[in-house]
Amino acid sequence: MLKNLLVCARCGRSMAAGYTTTKGRRYAYYISLTAQKRGARACGGRMIGKQRIEAAVIDTLDGLASPPGGAGCVSSCRRSGKIGTDWSRGSNRRS
């Protein structure tokens, strides 16, 4: 969802999506390209969970698109089930 839109606050490079698998469960995250290519010590930034950062971006956009004191259009669509949060597969299914 956020490919080429996120920038690492530590090194200033773009952040890329990645994942790790632990005990058969897949965990998605975003990491700076510096850390991805040269290792964690090269950047000092941390991995950010995919759901956490995408929810923060949606909440921020919702706040910008909402009238003062009004319900956010993105939040109300999410609650009604019109849009979901599984953006990683190019769909709008719920996770």
Side-chain angles (χ1 to χ4, degrees):
M1 175 176 149
L2 301 174
K3 184 178 179 181
N4 299 324
L5 296 176
L6 295 177
V7 176
C8 178
R10 293 283 235 168
C11 69
R13 299 256 339 252
S14 294
M15 296 187 78
Y19 71 91
T20 187
T21 304
T22 304
K23 296 182 182 178
R25 189 164 177 183
R26 188 172 166 159
Y27 296 92
Y29 59 84
Y30 285 93
I31 188 168
S32 78
L33 289 176
T34 301
Q36 187 181 52
K37 292 182 183 208
R38 294 192 284 158
R41 291 184 186 183
C43 170
R46 298 184 307 171
M47 291 185 292
I48 301 172
K50 175 184 159 286
Q51 288 182 328
R52 180 178 173 193
I53 193 69
E54 289 181 359
V57 169
I58 288 171
D59 289 344
T60 300
L61 292 173
D62 192 34
L64 294 172
S66 303
C73 60
V74 176
S75 294
S76 60
C77 287
R78 284 173 65 190
R79 281 192 298 274
S80 70
K82 291 180 183 172
I83 62 171
T85 56
D86 188 4
W87 305 103
S88 64
R89 296 185 193 106
S91 68
N92 62 352
R93 292 178 288 166
R94 290 188 173 251
S95 305

